Amino acid sequence: MPPPDPAHLGTLPPFERVVSEHGPTVLRVCRALLGPVDADDAWSETFLAALRAYPELRPGSNVEAWLVTIAHRKAIDVHRVRNRTPVPSERLPEHAATSGIPGTGDDELWSAVAALPFTQRAALVYHYVGGLPYAEVGAVLGNTADAARRAAADGRAALRRHYRMQTGIPS
């Protein structure tokens, strides 16, 4: 790989500043997508991958959206590994878990969010936790702004139904 163009490097802020400015947002996104156990590792993996690719980033790019895209891919990797890895247990539960990860101490909201389909969960997290506009959410998810808006709306509707059922409030 040829060395990066020095003129190009001059237009990018130091990577340390990128980490300090966008690190908290990326960590919130990782926690919302993966839960507290895997979030720190995904955050680290996100910034390691970003550090490698940073010299090639085009000037004027939306760095926050770029980092959230990387975090999204790392979260998918964690979900794939999690789905293939058996969880050892000293005793089997009486019933299968219906939402969230059993025994992690997640509160009710995050358990309900974790039970959503990945695209709905990701759209809600990227928009409401990460603060990204729907156009960027769509780009991160590989679809359009309208599709991202629809996924977030479907996720919100599912959360409302969940809470109505929990509280006995009629639809």
Side-chain angles (χ1 to χ4, degrees), residues 66-98:
W66 176 68
L67 290 169
V68 169
T69 300
I70 296 170
H72 166 77
R73 292 179 182 143
K74 296 302 176 184
I76 288 172
D77 292 344
V78 169
H79 280 285
R80 287 179 181 148
V81 168
R82 189 185 289 163
N83 288 338
R84 290 189 302 248
T85 306
V87 178
S89 176
E90 288 187 24
R91 65 180 184 85
L92 294 176
E94 293 290 325
H95 305 283
T98 58

mmCIF file of all heavy atoms in Angstrom, residues 66-98:
data_model
loop_
_atom_site.group_PDB
_atom_site.id
_atom_site.type_symbol
_atom_site.label_atom_id
_atom_site.label_comp_id
_atom_site.label_asym_id
_atom_site.label_seq_id
_atom_site.Cartn_x
_atom_site.Cartn_y
_atom_site.Cartn_z
ATOM 1 N N TRP A 66 -19.048 7.635 9.899
ATOM 2 C CA TRP A 66 -18.048 6.636 9.509
ATOM 3 C C TRP A 66 -17.753 5.703 10.682
ATOM 4 O O TRP A 66 -17.715 4.483 10.528
ATOM 5 C CB TRP A 66 -16.801 7.373 9.020
ATOM 6 C CG TRP A 66 -15.636 6.532 8.656
ATOM 7 C CD1 TRP A 66 -15.528 5.667 7.603
ATOM 8 C CD2 TRP A 66 -14.378 6.481 9.334
ATOM 9 N NE1 TRP A 66 -14.274 5.095 7.585
ATOM 10 C CE2 TRP A 66 -13.551 5.579 8.640
ATOM 11 C CE3 TRP A 66 -13.874 7.127 10.469
ATOM 12 C CZ2 TRP A 66 -12.250 5.296 9.036
ATOM 13 C CZ3 TRP A 66 -12.577 6.856 10.856
ATOM 14 C CH2 TRP A 66 -11.786 5.944 10.145
ATOM 15 N N LEU A 67 -17.561 6.278 11.875
ATOM 16 C CA LEU A 67 -17.276 5.460 13.062
ATOM 17 C C LEU A 67 -18.475 4.597 13.452
ATOM 18 O O LEU A 67 -18.310 3.431 13.837
ATOM 19 C CB LEU A 67 -16.861 6.354 14.231
ATOM 20 C CG LEU A 67 -15.499 7.022 14.094
ATOM 21 C CD1 LEU A 67 -15.319 8.085 15.169
ATOM 22 C CD2 LEU A 67 -14.378 5.988 14.165
ATOM 23 N N VAL A 68 -19.686 5.149 13.361
ATOM 24 C CA VAL A 68 -20.880 4.364 13.681
ATOM 25 C C VAL A 68 -21.040 3.217 12.692
ATOM 26 O O VAL A 68 -21.450 2.121 13.071
ATOM 27 C CB VAL A 68 -22.135 5.273 13.733
ATOM 28 C CG1 VAL A 68 -23.409 4.455 13.798
ATOM 29 C CG2 VAL A 68 -22.048 6.195 14.944
ATOM 30 N N THR A 69 -20.668 3.447 11.434
ATOM 31 C CA THR A 69 -20.710 2.366 10.444
ATOM 32 C C THR A 69 -19.760 1.245 10.842
ATOM 33 O O THR A 69 -20.104 0.063 10.779
ATOM 34 C CB THR A 69 -20.340 2.900 9.041
ATOM 35 O OG1 THR A 69 -21.268 3.907 8.678
ATOM 36 C CG2 THR A 69 -20.364 1.791 8.010
ATOM 37 N N ILE A 70 -18.561 1.614 11.253
ATOM 38 C CA ILE A 70 -17.591 0.602 11.696
ATOM 39 C C ILE A 70 -18.118 -0.123 12.929
ATOM 40 O O ILE A 70 -18.054 -1.359 13.022
ATOM 41 C CB ILE A 70 -16.216 1.239 11.973
ATOM 42 C CG1 ILE A 70 -15.624 1.808 10.685
ATOM 43 C CG2 ILE A 70 -15.251 0.222 12.588
ATOM 44 C CD1 ILE A 70 -14.384 2.672 10.886
ATOM 45 N N ALA A 71 -18.675 0.623 13.895
ATOM 46 C CA ALA A 71 -19.232 0.007 15.104
ATOM 47 C C ALA A 71 -20.379 -0.936 14.753
ATOM 48 O O ALA A 71 -20.514 -2.013 15.342
ATOM 49 C CB ALA A 71 -19.704 1.089 16.081
ATOM 50 N N HIS A 72 -21.194 -0.547 13.783
ATOM 51 C CA HIS A 72 -22.295 -1.397 13.312
ATOM 52 C C HIS A 72 -21.745 -2.732 12.812
ATOM 53 O O HIS A 72 -22.264 -3.799 13.170
ATOM 54 C CB HIS A 72 -23.040 -0.661 12.199
ATOM 55 C CG HIS A 72 -23.965 -1.512 11.402
ATOM 56 N ND1 HIS A 72 -25.202 -1.901 11.862
ATOM 57 C CD2 HIS A 72 -23.843 -2.053 10.169
ATOM 58 C CE1 HIS A 72 -25.791 -2.636 10.940
ATOM 59 N NE2 HIS A 72 -24.990 -2.739 9.903
ATOM 60 N N ARG A 73 -20.701 -2.675 12.016
ATOM 61 C CA ARG A 73 -20.115 -3.916 11.490
ATOM 62 C C ARG A 73 -19.506 -4.764 12.597
ATOM 63 O O ARG A 73 -19.606 -5.998 12.579
ATOM 64 C CB ARG A 73 -19.082 -3.578 10.420
ATOM 65 C CG ARG A 73 -19.739 -3.001 9.184
ATOM 66 C CD ARG A 73 -18.740 -2.636 8.119
ATOM 67 N NE ARG A 73 -19.439 -2.038 6.995
ATOM 68 C CZ ARG A 73 -18.971 -1.044 6.279
ATOM 69 N NH1 ARG A 73 -17.787 -0.526 6.562
ATOM 70 N NH2 ARG A 73 -19.659 -0.564 5.274
ATOM 71 N N LYS A 74 -18.884 -4.128 13.564
ATOM 72 C CA LYS A 74 -18.321 -4.876 14.701
ATOM 73 C C LYS A 74 -19.444 -5.515 15.518
ATOM 74 O O LYS A 74 -19.306 -6.640 16.003
ATOM 75 C CB LYS A 74 -17.455 -3.967 15.583
ATOM 76 C CG LYS A 74 -16.229 -3.419 14.887
ATOM 77 C CD LYS A 74 -15.333 -4.520 14.376
ATOM 78 C CE LYS A 74 -14.160 -3.961 13.599
ATOM 79 N NZ LYS A 74 -13.324 -5.000 13.011
ATOM 80 N N ALA A 75 -20.571 -4.818 15.667
ATOM 81 C CA ALA A 75 -21.711 -5.378 16.400
ATOM 82 C C ALA A 75 -22.270 -6.596 15.675
ATOM 83 O O ALA A 75 -22.621 -7.599 16.304
ATOM 84 C CB ALA A 75 -22.801 -4.323 16.586
ATOM 85 N N ILE A 76 -22.347 -6.515 14.354
ATOM 86 C CA ILE A 76 -22.802 -7.679 13.587
ATOM 87 C C ILE A 76 -21.861 -8.857 13.806
ATOM 88 O O ILE A 76 -22.307 -9.996 13.992
ATOM 89 C CB ILE A 76 -22.919 -7.324 12.089
ATOM 90 C CG1 ILE A 76 -24.112 -6.407 11.863
ATOM 91 C CG2 ILE A 76 -23.064 -8.583 11.237
ATOM 92 C CD1 ILE A 76 -24.202 -5.838 10.461
ATOM 93 N N ASP A 77 -20.555 -8.590 13.807
ATOM 94 C CA ASP A 77 -19.582 -9.656 14.055
ATOM 95 C C ASP A 77 -19.809 -10.302 15.423
ATOM 96 O O ASP A 77 -19.783 -11.527 15.559
ATOM 97 C CB ASP A 77 -18.142 -9.121 13.976
ATOM 98 C CG ASP A 77 -17.733 -8.702 12.583
ATOM 99 O OD1 ASP A 77 -18.418 -9.079 11.605
ATOM 100 O OD2 ASP A 77 -16.708 -7.986 12.469
ATOM 101 N N VAL A 78 -20.047 -9.475 16.442
ATOM 102 C CA VAL A 78 -20.286 -10.004 17.791
ATOM 103 C C VAL A 78 -21.557 -10.837 17.812
ATOM 104 O O VAL A 78 -21.592 -11.920 18.408
ATOM 105 C CB VAL A 78 -20.343 -8.856 18.827
ATOM 106 C CG1 VAL A 78 -20.849 -9.357 20.170
ATOM 107 C CG2 VAL A 78 -18.981 -8.209 18.977
ATOM 108 N N HIS A 79 -22.630 -10.357 17.156
ATOM 109 C CA HIS A 79 -23.884 -11.127 17.106
ATOM 110 C C HIS A 79 -23.672 -12.470 16.414
ATOM 111 O O HIS A 79 -24.213 -13.483 16.859
ATOM 112 C CB HIS A 79 -24.988 -10.338 16.384
ATOM 113 C CG HIS A 79 -25.637 -9.315 17.242
ATOM 114 N ND1 HIS A 79 -26.529 -9.628 18.227
ATOM 115 C CD2 HIS A 79 -25.505 -7.966 17.274
ATOM 116 C CE1 HIS A 79 -26.930 -8.533 18.836
ATOM 117 N NE2 HIS A 79 -26.328 -7.507 18.271
ATOM 118 N N ARG A 80 -22.904 -12.487 15.352
ATOM 119 C CA ARG A 80 -22.643 -13.751 14.656
ATOM 120 C C ARG A 80 -21.899 -14.725 15.555
ATOM 121 O O ARG A 80 -22.236 -15.905 15.618
ATOM 122 C CB ARG A 80 -21.836 -13.494 13.386
ATOM 123 C CG ARG A 80 -22.639 -12.867 12.292
ATOM 124 C CD ARG A 80 -21.793 -12.618 11.061
ATOM 125 N NE ARG A 80 -22.597 -11.987 10.030
ATOM 126 C CZ ARG A 80 -22.131 -11.135 9.155
ATOM 127 N NH1 ARG A 80 -20.853 -10.801 9.154
ATOM 128 N NH2 ARG A 80 -22.923 -10.611 8.245
ATOM 129 N N VAL A 81 -20.881 -14.235 16.252
ATOM 130 C CA VAL A 81 -20.122 -15.103 17.151
ATOM 131 C C VAL A 81 -21.006 -15.568 18.305
ATOM 132 O O VAL A 81 -20.990 -16.738 18.676
ATOM 133 C CB VAL A 81 -18.863 -14.368 17.679
ATOM 134 C CG1 VAL A 81 -18.231 -15.119 18.829
ATOM 135 C CG2 VAL A 81 -17.861 -14.165 16.557
ATOM 136 N N ARG A 82 -21.795 -14.647 18.844
ATOM 137 C CA ARG A 82 -22.673 -14.971 19.973
ATOM 138 C C ARG A 82 -23.673 -16.063 19.588
ATOM 139 O O ARG A 82 -23.980 -16.949 20.388
ATOM 140 C CB ARG A 82 -23.413 -13.718 20.424
ATOM 141 C CG ARG A 82 -24.179 -13.898 21.714
ATOM 142 C CD ARG A 82 -24.981 -12.677 22.062
ATOM 143 N NE ARG A 82 -24.140 -11.578 22.479
ATOM 144 C CZ ARG A 82 -24.550 -10.314 22.521
ATOM 145 N NH1 ARG A 82 -25.774 -10.004 22.166
ATOM 146 N NH2 ARG A 82 -23.743 -9.369 22.932
ATOM 147 N N ASN A 83 -24.189 -15.992 18.362
ATOM 148 C CA ASN A 83 -25.168 -16.983 17.922
ATOM 149 C C ASN A 83 -24.551 -18.355 17.694
ATOM 150 O O ASN A 83 -25.255 -19.357 17.704
ATOM 151 C CB ASN A 83 -25.869 -16.512 16.644
ATOM 152 C CG ASN A 83 -26.826 -15.385 16.917
ATOM 153 O OD1 ASN A 83 -27.281 -15.211 18.042
ATOM 154 N ND2 ASN A 83 -27.122 -14.603 15.899
ATOM 155 N N ARG A 84 -23.247 -18.416 17.472
ATOM 156 C CA ARG A 84 -22.581 -19.698 17.238
ATOM 157 C C ARG A 84 -21.912 -20.269 18.480
ATOM 158 O O ARG A 84 -21.485 -21.411 18.477
ATOM 159 C CB ARG A 84 -21.514 -19.531 16.150
ATOM 160 C CG ARG A 84 -22.064 -19.308 14.773
ATOM 161 C CD ARG A 84 -20.976 -19.378 13.744
ATOM 162 N NE ARG A 84 -19.930 -18.411 13.996
ATOM 163 C CZ ARG A 84 -19.666 -17.354 13.222
ATOM 164 N NH1 ARG A 84 -20.367 -17.144 12.148
ATOM 165 N NH2 ARG A 84 -18.710 -16.525 13.533
ATOM 166 N N THR A 85 -21.792 -19.473 19.523
ATOM 167 C CA THR A 85 -21.070 -19.898 20.710
ATOM 168 C C THR A 85 -22.042 -20.374 21.788
ATOM 169 O O THR A 85 -22.897 -19.610 22.227
ATOM 170 C CB THR A 85 -20.229 -18.733 21.267
ATOM 171 O OG1 THR A 85 -19.400 -18.233 20.228
ATOM 172 C CG2 THR A 85 -19.375 -19.180 22.436
ATOM 173 N N PRO A 86 -21.909 -21.620 22.220
ATOM 174 C CA PRO A 86 -22.784 -22.077 23.303
ATOM 175 C C PRO A 86 -22.414 -21.389 24.625
ATOM 176 O O PRO A 86 -21.261 -21.047 24.861
ATOM 177 C CB PRO A 86 -22.509 -23.582 23.380
ATOM 178 C CG PRO A 86 -21.189 -23.771 22.740
ATOM 179 C CD PRO A 86 -20.993 -22.646 21.772
ATOM 180 N N VAL A 87 -23.405 -21.193 25.458
ATOM 181 C CA VAL A 87 -23.194 -20.558 26.754
ATOM 182 C C VAL A 87 -23.217 -21.654 27.816
ATOM 183 O O VAL A 87 -24.243 -22.308 28.012
ATOM 184 C CB VAL A 87 -24.291 -19.511 27.043
ATOM 185 C CG1 VAL A 87 -24.094 -18.888 28.410
ATOM 186 C CG2 VAL A 87 -24.308 -18.456 25.960
ATOM 187 N N PRO A 88 -22.081 -21.886 28.490
ATOM 188 C CA PRO A 88 -22.070 -22.927 29.524
ATOM 189 C C PRO A 88 -22.920 -22.519 30.726
ATOM 190 O O PRO A 88 -23.033 -21.339 31.054
ATOM 191 C CB PRO A 88 -20.594 -23.031 29.909
ATOM 192 C CG PRO A 88 -19.971 -21.755 29.469
ATOM 193 C CD PRO A 88 -20.797 -21.218 28.352
ATOM 194 N N SER A 89 -23.527 -23.501 31.333
ATOM 195 C CA SER A 89 -24.372 -23.245 32.484
ATOM 196 C C SER A 89 -24.327 -24.454 33.409
ATOM 197 O O SER A 89 -24.246 -25.594 32.949
ATOM 198 C CB SER A 89 -25.812 -22.999 32.016
ATOM 199 O OG SER A 89 -26.657 -22.848 33.110
ATOM 200 N N GLU A 90 -24.366 -24.174 34.698
ATOM 201 C CA GLU A 90 -24.358 -25.276 35.651
ATOM 202 C C GLU A 90 -25.717 -25.977 35.701
ATOM 203 O O GLU A 90 -25.796 -27.154 35.977
ATOM 204 C CB GLU A 90 -23.978 -24.761 37.045
ATOM 205 C CG GLU A 90 -22.517 -24.381 37.129
ATOM 206 C CD GLU A 90 -22.103 -24.028 38.542
ATOM 207 O OE1 GLU A 90 -22.758 -24.487 39.509
ATOM 208 O OE2 GLU A 90 -21.122 -23.297 38.675
ATOM 209 N N ARG A 91 -26.761 -25.222 35.442
ATOM 210 C CA ARG A 91 -28.087 -25.824 35.409
ATOM 211 C C ARG A 91 -28.875 -25.211 34.263
ATOM 212 O O ARG A 91 -28.661 -24.060 33.888
ATOM 213 C CB ARG A 91 -28.822 -25.652 36.727
ATOM 214 C CG ARG A 91 -29.145 -24.235 37.082
ATOM 215 C CD ARG A 91 -29.883 -24.159 38.436
ATOM 216 N NE ARG A 91 -30.264 -22.798 38.707
ATOM 217 C CZ ARG A 91 -31.371 -22.222 38.258
ATOM 218 N NH1 ARG A 91 -32.235 -22.898 37.548
ATOM 219 N NH2 ARG A 91 -31.648 -20.961 38.549
ATOM 220 N N LEU A 92 -29.786 -25.969 33.724
ATOM 221 C CA LEU A 92 -30.616 -25.500 32.628
ATOM 222 C C LEU A 92 -31.790 -24.695 33.180
ATOM 223 O O LEU A 92 -32.354 -25.043 34.227
ATOM 224 C CB LEU A 92 -31.143 -26.675 31.816
ATOM 225 C CG LEU A 92 -30.094 -27.477 31.053
ATOM 226 C CD1 LEU A 92 -30.738 -28.673 30.377
ATOM 227 C CD2 LEU A 92 -29.419 -26.594 30.027
ATOM 228 N N PRO A 93 -32.174 -23.619 32.500
ATOM 229 C CA PRO A 93 -33.328 -22.845 32.966
ATOM 230 C C PRO A 93 -34.611 -23.637 32.755
ATOM 231 O O PRO A 93 -34.685 -24.517 31.898
ATOM 232 C CB PRO A 93 -33.295 -21.590 32.084
ATOM 233 C CG PRO A 93 -32.500 -21.976 30.884
ATOM 234 C CD PRO A 93 -31.547 -23.051 31.325
ATOM 235 N N GLU A 94 -35.620 -23.304 33.557
ATOM 236 C CA GLU A 94 -36.919 -23.966 33.437
ATOM 237 C C GLU A 94 -37.573 -23.656 32.090
ATOM 238 O O GLU A 94 -38.187 -24.501 31.489
ATOM 239 C CB GLU A 94 -37.848 -23.509 34.567
ATOM 240 C CG GLU A 94 -37.405 -23.973 35.939
ATOM 241 C CD GLU A 94 -37.564 -25.474 36.111
ATOM 242 O OE1 GLU A 94 -38.530 -26.050 35.566
ATOM 243 O OE2 GLU A 94 -36.717 -26.063 36.795
ATOM 244 N N HIS A 95 -37.441 -22.389 31.636
ATOM 245 C CA HIS A 95 -38.067 -21.946 30.402
ATOM 246 C C HIS A 95 -37.044 -21.185 29.575
ATOM 247 O O HIS A 95 -36.154 -20.543 30.116
ATOM 248 C CB HIS A 95 -39.258 -21.015 30.687
ATOM 249 C CG HIS A 95 -40.274 -21.631 31.589
ATOM 250 N ND1 HIS A 95 -41.177 -22.576 31.164
ATOM 251 C CD2 HIS A 95 -40.515 -21.456 32.920
ATOM 252 C CE1 HIS A 95 -41.938 -22.939 32.178
ATOM 253 N NE2 HIS A 95 -41.558 -22.284 33.260
ATOM 254 N N ALA A 96 -37.215 -21.214 28.274
ATOM 255 C CA ALA A 96 -36.328 -20.450 27.394
ATOM 256 C C ALA A 96 -36.563 -18.957 27.596
ATOM 257 O O ALA A 96 -37.690 -18.526 27.857
ATOM 258 C CB ALA A 96 -36.595 -20.815 25.935
ATOM 259 N N ALA A 97 -35.493 -18.181 27.506
ATOM 260 C CA ALA A 97 -35.609 -16.728 27.620
ATOM 261 C C ALA A 97 -36.370 -16.193 26.419
ATOM 262 O O ALA A 97 -36.216 -16.681 25.307
ATOM 263 C CB ALA A 97 -34.223 -16.100 27.695
ATOM 264 N N THR A 98 -37.185 -15.175 26.651
ATOM 265 C CA THR A 98 -37.961 -14.602 25.551
ATOM 266 C C THR A 98 -37.413 -13.271 25.076
ATOM 267 O O THR A 98 -37.747 -12.815 24.004
ATOM 268 C CB THR A 98 -39.426 -14.413 25.969
ATOM 269 O OG1 THR A 98 -39.465 -13.567 27.116
ATOM 270 C CG2 THR A 98 -40.081 -15.744 26.265
#
